[in-house]
Amino acid sequence: MKVVILAGGFGTRISEESHLRPKPMIEIGGKPILWHIMKSYSHYGFNDFIICLGYKGYMIKEFFSDYYLNTSDVTFDFTKGNKMTVHNNASEPWKVTLVDTGLYTMTGGRVNRIKEYLGKETFMLTYGDGVCNVDINKLKQHHLNSNAYLTMTAIQLGGRFGVLDINEDTNEIEKFIEKPKEDGGWINGGYMVVEPEVIDYIDDDSTVFERTPLERLAKEGKLVAYKHQGFWQCMDTQRDKNLLERLWNENKAPWKVWK
């Protein structure tokens, strides 16, 4: 199952960092938060990634183009025709497809632009700025046990995000309300499992995935929640970044599920 990561936004709320690099490339413990997200999926056996690029996407391409070399010990022998020998490579068993999905394309439009790489298979979808300790295999099984087109990881946090109205008996999301003023409730934590039919709910580049597509799926009873009561944190502001950095440096990072 492929993992799609939305990594094309401008990251304006953390402009202290994002004016230099795309938000997914902001580092926690010396590694981009994108790397942390991928490590989490890889821990559960998901190693085939499609990354939707936009703002400063070339920096993400450069990171992966150099990744194999940068995770290896290397000998350069200039006495023998510039021979290079790689020793002890520690890179992950990843397949990474990097797709330029446009500078101003909305989240739904980015998913629509990669449909040729998805085929007709179920896929994972998340954002390139949030880490958590969700059990990805349990999330997948929860989705397979439902009749939903999309299963969304739901978390409880204060209300600057979209609130979900969840049926307690069926876990169906009956309403999806984008960024209300009130606090509390279950919110969209990303880490979704998506059926290919969801692509048909996206019109064009201007489609915001969290609005019309999710609202329609909720009304049709095809959107369910996977309630996660463990750790979840997005890196939306400098304060969020500092929190994640501190947890990593103190060896208290709950999202570090890998060894």
Side-chain angles (χ1 to χ4, degrees), residues 129-177:
D129 62 356
V131 290
C132 66
N133 60 355
V134 170
D135 187 317
I136 305 296
N137 283 331
K138 288 183 179 179
L139 167 64
K140 174 185 173 183
Q141 192 58 49
H142 185 81
H143 175 78
L144 295 177
N145 291 341
S146 75
N147 293 316
Y149 279 3
L150 190 149
T151 297
M152 172 190 297
T153 296
I155 60 152
Q156 289 181 305
L157 199 65
R160 72 176 194 252
F161 303 95
V163 167
L164 313 176
D165 184 1
I166 301 174
N167 184 304
E168 294 297 327
D169 296 324
T170 65
N171 281 324
E172 286 187 5
I173 299 173
E174 297 179 343
K175 292 182 182 179
F176 186 91
I177 308 169

Side-chain angles (χ1 to χ4, degrees), residues 1-4 48-50 117-118 121-125:
M1 191 179 292
K2 294 180 173 65
V3 179
V4 176
D48 192 348
F49 297 93
I50 302 172
Y117 299 99
L118 293 171
E121 300 176 2
T122 307
F123 62 95
M124 300 279 181
L125 173 66

Side-chain angles (χ1 to χ4, degrees), residues 15-244:
S15 59
E16 302 95 329
E17 300 265 359
S18 63
H19 76 286
L20 297 172
R21 68 192 93 183
K23 185 158 67 163
M25 293 304 294
I26 296 173
E27 294 184 351
I28 304 297
K31 296 285 189 181
I33 192 169
L34 177 62
W35 177 89
H36 291 262
I37 295 166
M38 294 171 70
K39 286 286 286 186
S40 295
Y41 277 101
S42 187
H43 172 75
Y44 292 101
F46 299 92
N47 294 303
D48 192 348
F49 297 93
I50 302 172
I51 301 177
C52 300
L53 306 180
Y55 174 67
K56 294 186 182 294
Y58 68 90
M59 297 185 72
I60 298 178
K61 289 182 179 179
E62 289 173 351
F63 173 78
F64 285 106
S65 68
D66 296 335
Y67 189 68
Y68 179 81
L69 193 61
N70 290 339
T71 55
S72 306
D73 296 333
V74 185
T75 297
F76 293 98
D77 191 342
F78 301 115
T79 67
K80 296 182 179 180
N82 296 331
K83 180 181 178 182
M84 181 182 76
T85 304
V86 177
H87 315 277
N88 304 320
N89 177 260
S91 61
E92 286 75 10
W94 294 343
K95 177 182 177 182
V96 185
T97 302
L98 304 167
V99 184
D100 183 356
T101 55
L103 186 59
Y104 299 105
T105 309
M106 297 293 102
T107 47
R110 295 191 190 282
V111 175
N112 189 49
R113 284 208 185 192
I114 60 155
K115 59 185 177 183
E116 65 180 283
Y117 299 99
L118 293 171
K120 297 296 182 180
E121 300 176 2
T122 307
F123 62 95
M124 300 279 181
L125 173 66
T126 197
Y127 305 100
D129 62 356
V131 290
C132 66
N133 60 355
V134 170
D135 187 317
I136 305 296
N137 283 331
K138 288 183 179 179
L139 167 64
K140 174 185 173 183
Q141 192 58 49
H142 185 81
H143 175 78
L144 295 177
N145 291 341
S146 75
N147 293 316
Y149 279 3
L150 190 149
T151 297
M152 172 190 297
T153 296
I155 60 152
Q156 289 181 305
L157 199 65
R160 72 176 194 252
F161 303 95
V163 167
L164 313 176
D165 184 1
I166 301 174
N167 184 304
E168 294 297 327
D169 296 324
T170 65
N171 281 324
E172 286 187 5
I173 299 173
E174 297 179 343
K175 292 182 182 179
F176 186 91
I177 308 169
E178 178 67 13
K179 295 187 179 180
K181 294 180 181 179
E182 67 269 14
D183 289 338
W186 293 93
I187 70 165
N188 173 12
Y191 290 84
M192 299 171 249
V193 188
V194 187
E195 295 299 325
E197 289 83 355
V198 171
I199 304 292
D200 296 332
Y201 288 69
I202 301 170
D203 293 327
D204 52 34
D205 283 358
S206 66
T207 301
V208 178
F209 192 71
E210 299 76 15
R211 293 180 184 167
T212 302
L214 292 189
E215 290 165 0
R216 281 186 57 197
L217 288 167
K219 289 178 181 178
E220 295 173 9
K222 296 176 180 176
L223 177 63
V224 301
Y226 177 77
K227 293 180 179 177
H228 175 62
Q229 295 177 322
F231 177 84
W232 179 92
Q233 180 65 52
C234 71
M235 190 182 63
D236 210 32
T237 65
Q238 188 67 39
R239 181 179 180 181
D240 297 333
K241 193 264 187 190
N242 293 341
L243 169 63
L244 294 171

